[in-house]
């Protein structure tokens, strides 16, 4: 597996980023991976490498780059409940400053950068994200229906922009929700919005999970749920990217 640290030119400066992709010649489908609010760190690099090992070029940008290179906030090796007391208020300030307008400007830059990398093949890409990164991934897919064939988001506030926003989706979708984040009733409302969009999707609550369940460096981590995440994500990418899936025409 090959990795790189990169700088992505944006309308507002330079975003540092991590990329992982298979060794050897050839071009690979591109995946834009948005980190959770804690940002790029060893666990995110490991997840990018894992995904790249299945034949993808994975780009993980630091979407808080306006505040400095990753890690923007100093983090302990394992993030527990006591650590969150100090960290979360700092994160909320960054999240509140990261407006929808900034997200969309950055999405343009991130997709442009990803698709011109020499290791990335022609055709649509996928976007995936965790926690707040799942919302950014959703906004990216909504804004670029002609470029994004697959969207996956995990323990993410994907409905934050309202059902009307989801109606604009064209990508095939998987949403994996934490049990602590979403009631069955809220899940039903969210899935109605996906039905209205007419896209292929799975949207489900992962049993027994709390917010952040994919992140092995936090006390929210759930090993079984992380495996389920891969069991949902990899087939989605296989259908939509490796076989040349077209945005808007996923299997139902």
């Amino acid at each position: 597996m090959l990795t790189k640290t990169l700088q992505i030119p944006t309308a507002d400066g330079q975003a540092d980023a991590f990329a992982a992709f298979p060794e050897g010649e050839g071009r690979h489908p591109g995946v834009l991976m948005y980190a959770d609010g804690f940002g790029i760190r060893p666990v995110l690099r490991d997840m990018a490498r894992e995904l790249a090992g299945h034949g993808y070029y994975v780009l993980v940008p630091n979407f808080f780059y306006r505040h400095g290179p990753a890690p923007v906030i100093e983090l302990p090796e394992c993030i527990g409940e006591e650590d969150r007391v100090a960290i979360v208020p700092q994160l909320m300030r960054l999240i509140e400053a990261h407006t929808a307008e900034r997200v969309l400007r950055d999405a343009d830059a991130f997709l442009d950068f990803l698709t011109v990398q020499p290791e990335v093949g022609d055709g649509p890409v996928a976007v995936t994200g965790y926690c707040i990164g799942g919302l950014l991934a959703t906004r990216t897919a909504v804004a670029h229906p002609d470029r994004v064939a697959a969207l996956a988001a995990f323990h993410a506030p994907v409905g934050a922009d309202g059902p009307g926003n989801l109606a604009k989706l064209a990508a095939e979708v998987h949403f994996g929700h934490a049990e602590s984040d979403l009631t069955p009733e809220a899940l039903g409302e969210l899935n109605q919005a996906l039905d209205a969009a007419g896209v292929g999707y799975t949207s489900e609550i992962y049993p027994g999970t709390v917010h952040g369940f994919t992140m092995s460096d936090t006390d929210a981590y759930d090993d079984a749920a992380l495996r389920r995440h891969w069991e949902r994500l990899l087939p989605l990418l296989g259908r939509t990217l490796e076989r040349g899936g077209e945005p808007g025409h996923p299997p139902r």
Side-chain angles (χ1 to χ4, degrees):
M1 198 60 52
L2 298 177
T3 62
K4 288 182 180 179
T5 300
L6 301 165
Q7 294 290 324
I8 304 174
T10 76
D12 297 326
Q14 297 274 332
D16 52 303
F18 176 80
F21 51 95
E23 294 186 51
E25 297 182 2
R27 302 167 73 196
H28 313 283
V31 179
L32 177 60
M33 177 184 285
Y34 287 103
D36 63 353
F38 296 131
I40 302 173
R41 57 197 193 282
V43 66
L44 262 297
R45 295 186 183 95
D46 288 345
M47 293 175 78
R49 290 187 188 96
E50 173 72 20
L51 185 52
H54 293 272
Y56 301 98
Y57 184 106
V58 184
L59 179 68
V60 189
N62 169 24
F63 50 83
F64 289 146
Y65 67 90
R66 293 173 181 85
H67 304 276
V72 176
I73 293 175
E74 185 175 349
L75 299 170
E77 186 173 338
C78 183
I79 303 166
E81 187 62 34
E82 293 182 358
D83 302 304
R84 294 173 193 271
V85 174
I87 294 171
V88 169
Q90 299 177 66
L91 282 180
M92 290 309 301
R93 288 193 291 271
L94 300 181
I95 291 170
E96 289 167 2
H98 200 57
T99 62
E101 291 77 14
R102 284 185 173 185
V103 173
L104 295 181
R105 285 202 304 273
D106 288 348
D108 292 345
F110 297 161
L111 288 175
D112 287 347
F113 185 87
L114 173 63
T115 54
V116 299
Q117 297 309 297
E119 301 89 358
V120 175
D122 297 329
V125 303
V127 291
T128 185
Y130 305 88
C131 183
I132 187 62
L135 177 59
L136 307 190
T138 302
R139 288 174 172 171
T140 299
V142 166
H144 295 277
D146 57 332
R147 302 180 74 177
V148 177
L151 162 65
F154 302 91
H155 47 85
V158 292
D161 294 333
N165 191 60
L166 294 176
K168 302 172 187 177
L169 281 169
E172 186 178 351
V173 175
H174 175 71
F175 290 153
H177 310 285
E179 192 173 87
S180 65
D181 284 347
L182 204 65
T183 65
E185 293 75 20
L187 176 66
E189 294 174 2
L190 178 66
N191 291 353
Q192 286 179 4
L194 293 170
D195 286 333
V199 297
Y201 74 90
T202 54
S203 174
E204 59 186 347
I205 294 172
Y206 286 23
T209 56
V210 297
H211 182 75
F213 59 78
T214 59
M215 296 294 145
S216 62
D217 63 348
T218 76
D219 56 2
Y221 176 62
D222 185 308
D223 187 64
L226 179 63
R227 291 197 302 271
R228 185 178 186 137
H229 144 281
W230 289 119
E231 290 166 358
R232 298 296 191 268
L233 178 58
L234 293 173
L236 170 65
L237 301 186
R239 288 191 298 272
T240 56
L241 300 186
E242 293 177 343
R243 298 177 187 177
E246 292 294 329
H249 299 283
R252 294 303 299 266

